[in-house]
Amino acid sequence: MKKLLLGTVLAGVVAIGAACSNNSSMQGHDMSNMNMKEENTAQDSSKKLPLATNTEVLSGKEINLTAKEALLQINDKVKLPVYTYNGSVPGAQIRVKQGDNVKIVLKNELPEPITIHWHGYPVPNNQDGVPGVTMDAIKPGETFTYEFTATVPGTYFYHSHQESAEQVDKGLYGTLIVEPKNEEKVDRDYTLVLDEWMSNPDEGNMDMSGMDHSNMNNGNSSDNQQMDMSSMGHNMNMYDIFTINGKSGAAVKPLKVKKGEKVRLRLINAGYMSHKLHLHGHEFKIVATDGQPLKDPQPIKDELLSIAPGERYDIEFIANNPGEWLLECHGDMEGTDGMKVKIQYEDQTNNTDKANAKENLPVVDMTTYRKYEVGQFTLDQKYDVEYTMDLGTAMGKDGMVFTINGKTYPETAPVNVKTGDLVKAKIVNNSPTDVHPMHLHGHFFQVLSKNGKPVTGSPLIKDSLNVNPGEEYVVAFKADNPGNWMFHCHDLHHASAGMVTEVKYTDYKSDYTPDPNDTTNKGE
């Protein structure tokens, strides 16, 4: 498998990172600026690119997406070339209702092959968007149509799975919201996509598999966000800008509320680091994780919500404290200060709230959140398949590799199942310092235990799970979606350097046969 470079030279331009829109159309369903486009263009080293536009909201029987290049204005100092879906980062928000038949026509106007993977969504296997596993990559100039039924409501996102460590870093992602049939209405509904990038991408043009970026995910017990660059032999700033909806610092558009309103924030981490968020001035409830609703959520105040790569959290709060308040990232990396957004009450000028990003606050423990309730699975029931996933870090012949049971993909042993099987997996992180946010395609799993202790909150259903060094989780799922499905680390640099396996249904025959001579399919 080809090792991916963090920064990639493309048409004379190093295009990295993500983001661009101030997402005005996604915020509170204010569609007034939905189609606003900036006609200005800027000159890079080889050609003119249009400035990225605001993120639009799309719905209807047929949705059209075009992957194309643009220039991202992250803040008043930094502008970068990016890849986009429909000219914005995040790309267009696809917003449909539960039960809708979804048809998305994707046209590729980028200079390299792409796909769309519907992250967290249980689509049919042939719609999963993994080149070389479920489909061929969509070549420049080609069009592909994705179709599936929106069976499961919740907050999801989509991104390219072709050389994904590069393409997601360049901004090739968007959001997918499936509204429940009987949805409890809120007054404001905001989507906030977290990401991080480099202000000088030329410095990041290196082999990521050969470096120790163990603390990039900030998932260990330390509250500090630090990056261990010692193995690189020199000090280099890499991801030094953190963003919300493609903007950083003062460029992030405030969230408007009115006193008494119920506000929902859909928090999505499209980047490669965990981010710990603090909501100032209000109690909030976690109403869903990875799209799955939580029963009877309990109010939380002045605790940090840690959101790992690939995870989504829906939180709700009542706007009962007029003024101007922050939702901010905690930590002390160079980019931390940029990941914050103001919550502004209309007709209020009180702005006495102050940032406290270095304050040591407790982190919400999702394994104990809410009252205990028996879920679909238990630790002591009988399972048809049991699998141990030993996650490790090693030095390969060409640099650092990330392993599952001592192997790198495609040599990793798959999880072989048949339709209807109940599967229990033990996930153990034996990497000395590396954090591994593990993501399963096509299924949801229930988290049963952490470090040998059963989950004591209500059932925790997820598709992405952050596993810190030394941690052990036991999860379970039902094999109810036939196909060949990726199970991999969503630090996509780790995935590109080997940390991938598959859940393979032995009673499934794919209608897709990879062309062994097609070298363009690079699913990780």
Side-chain angles (χ1 to χ4, degrees):
M1 174 174 292
K2 176 186 172 186
K3 275 191 235 120
L4 302 183
L5 302 179
L6 176 60
T8 189
V9 180
L10 180 63
V13 180
V14 180
I16 66 105
C20 79
S21 83
N22 61 17
N23 204 23
S24 60
S25 61
M26 289 162 59
Q27 299 181 346
H29 298 302
D30 176 6
M31 305 299 180
S32 58
N33 294 320
M34 194 169 97
N35 294 315
M36 193 171 89
K37 297 191 176 179
E38 300 175 80
E39 298 300 332
N40 299 342
T41 60
Q43 182 76 36
D44 64 63
S45 60
S46 62
K47 58 187 170 182
K48 288 186 175 181
L49 294 175
L51 286 177
T53 58
N54 294 334
T55 298
E56 58 187 346
V57 179
L58 300 178
S59 58
K61 293 183 178 180
E62 183 172 305
I63 292 165
N64 291 287
L65 295 179
T66 301
K68 52 189 174 183
E69 295 176 278
L71 273 176
L72 154 71
Q73 186 81 51
I74 294 180
N75 55 32
D76 60 354
K77 297 178 181 178
V78 178
K79 184 186 295 182
L80 294 171
V82 293
Y83 283 1
T84 76
Y85 293 113
N86 281 21
S88 66
V89 182
Q93 178 168 100
I94 299 172
R95 200 168 188 112
V96 298
K97 294 190 180 301
Q98 185 180 8
D100 283 357
N101 292 318
V102 183
K103 183 177 182 180
I104 299 102
V105 181
L106 172 63
K107 183 179 181 182
N108 183 10
E109 291 184 358
L110 291 170
E112 59 182 285
I114 61 165
T115 66
I116 287 178
H117 163 61
W118 308 97
H119 182 103
Y121 214 75
V123 296
N125 191 238
N126 62 5
Q127 302 297 301
D128 196 44
V130 181
V133 177
T134 69
M135 64 176 291
D136 287 333
I138 305 161
K139 295 181 176 65
E142 291 184 351
T143 297
F144 184 85
T145 300
Y146 291 91
E147 293 187 73
F148 57 91
T149 301
T151 54
V152 183
T155 300
Y156 305 91
F157 74 114
Y158 63 92
H159 60 79
S160 179
H161 225 285
Q162 165 78 0
E163 295 199 302
S164 51
E166 291 180 352
Q167 293 190 356
V168 174
D169 228 12
K170 294 176 192 173
L172 209 49
Y173 58 77
T175 59
L176 169 66
I177 309 300
V178 180
E179 299 173 349
K181 289 180 180 177
N182 302 310
E183 183 174 25
E184 182 182 348
K185 296 298 181 183
V186 296
D187 300 293
R188 308 273 183 160
D189 188 329
Y190 293 115
T191 301
L192 305 177
V193 183
L194 314 179
D195 199 4
E196 59 277 335
W197 21 20
M198 295 175 287
S199 58
N200 188 350
D202 289 297
E203 291 185 351
N205 190 20
M206 72 190 77
D207 187 345
M208 287 294 294
S209 65
M211 65 168 280
D212 177 2
H213 57 293
S214 58
N215 290 321
M216 284 170 61
N217 284 328
N218 187 30
N220 55 26
S221 58
S222 169
D223 285 322
N224 295 332
Q225 285 178 313
Q226 298 176 342
M227 196 180 301
D228 182 1
M229 309 300 287
S230 58
S231 67
M232 297 173 59
H234 53 280
N235 187 15
M236 180 180 291
N237 288 329
M238 291 187 52
Y239 290 120
D240 59 339
I241 305 178
F242 295 174
T243 58
I244 297 176
N245 294 337
K247 300 293 184 182
S248 187
V252 182
K253 186 173 183 180
L255 310 180
K256 298 289 188 178
V257 301
K258 288 182 180 178
K259 186 177 180 181
E261 289 183 330
K262 179 185 279 191
V263 183
R264 176 185 293 135
L265 304 180
R266 302 177 187 267
L267 306 170
I268 300 171
N269 190 344
Y272 301 149
M273 303 182 193
S274 287
H275 296 287
K276 297 176 180 177
L277 298 188
H278 177 209
L279 176 63
H280 291 205
H282 300 79
E283 288 185 340
F284 68 93
K285 296 179 178 180
I286 304 171
V287 297
T289 176
D290 290 356
Q292 306 311 294
L294 301 176
K295 293 182 180 178
D296 302 317
Q298 300 157 359
I300 296 168
K301 188 169 185 186
D302 291 330
E303 292 187 39
L304 304 179
L305 181 58
S306 182
I307 307 176
E311 285 189 317
R312 291 90 61 212
Y313 284 93
D314 291 13
I315 68 172
E316 291 181 359
F317 67 93
I318 302 299
N320 56 9
N321 192 7
E324 182 176 278
W325 303 94
L326 290 174
L327 174 69
E328 67 169 347
C329 180
H330 273 229
D332 63 359
M333 280 192 69
E334 184 176 352
T336 303
D337 186 58
M339 187 176 278
K340 60 187 175 188
V341 59
K342 292 178 180 179
I343 297 169
Q344 292 181 339
Y345 283 69
E346 295 182 358
D347 304 320
Q348 295 288 333
T349 57
N350 173 23
N351 60 350
T352 58
D353 187 30
K354 289 183 171 59
N356 64 348
K358 294 186 180 181
E359 184 176 342
N360 188 8
L361 295 175
V363 178
V364 178
D365 183 354
M366 293 304 298
T367 67
T368 63
Y369 184 63
R370 301 158 298 125
K371 294 179 181 178
Y372 176 73
E373 183 178 305
V374 177
Q376 181 181 0
F377 303 104
T378 61
L379 283 166
D380 54 3
Q381 75 183 78
K382 184 181 183 300
Y383 289 91
D384 302 292
V385 176
E386 297 191 18
Y387 182 90
T388 296
M389 185 176 286
D390 177 350
L391 310 177
T393 303
M395 286 304 297
K397 61 181 181 179
D398 297 316
M400 190 173 290
V401 295
F402 300 94
T403 62
I404 297 176
N405 297 331
K407 304 286 187 181
T408 56
Y409 188 78
E411 303 305 321
T412 49
V415 186
N416 290 315
V417 303
K418 61 180 184 298
T419 304
D421 278 352
L422 303 184
V423 184
K424 182 168 74 171
K426 181 166 71 172
I427 306 173
V428 185
N429 185 353
N430 286 313
S431 291
T433 55
D434 293 295
V435 181
H436 300 305
M438 299 304 294
H439 169 55
L440 173 61
H441 288 208
H443 302 75
F444 300 103
F445 52 77
Q446 181 182 336
V447 182
L448 299 180
S449 69
K450 177 183 179 181
N451 298 333
K453 296 180 180 180
V455 170
T456 57
S458 289
L460 183 58
I461 312 300
K462 298 179 64 57
D463 56 67
S464 301
L465 180 65
N466 205 42
V467 188
N468 294 315
E471 285 186 340
E472 173 188 303
Y473 285 89
V474 175
V475 305
F477 64 94
K478 184 175 182 178
D480 57 4
N481 193 5
N484 298 318
W485 300 98
M486 288 279 185
F487 200 163
H488 66 91
C489 183
H490 219 272
D491 180 329
L492 297 174
H493 304 303
H494 293 183
S496 69
M499 191 168 279
V500 180
T501 189
E502 290 182 60
V503 174
K504 302 190 78 161
Y505 282 66
T506 58
D507 55 348
Y508 171 77
K509 182 168 176 55
S510 175
D511 56 6
Y512 166 69
T513 302
D515 181 354
N517 298 316
D518 189 344
T519 60
T520 63
N521 290 324
K522 296 182 175 65
E524 283 296 341

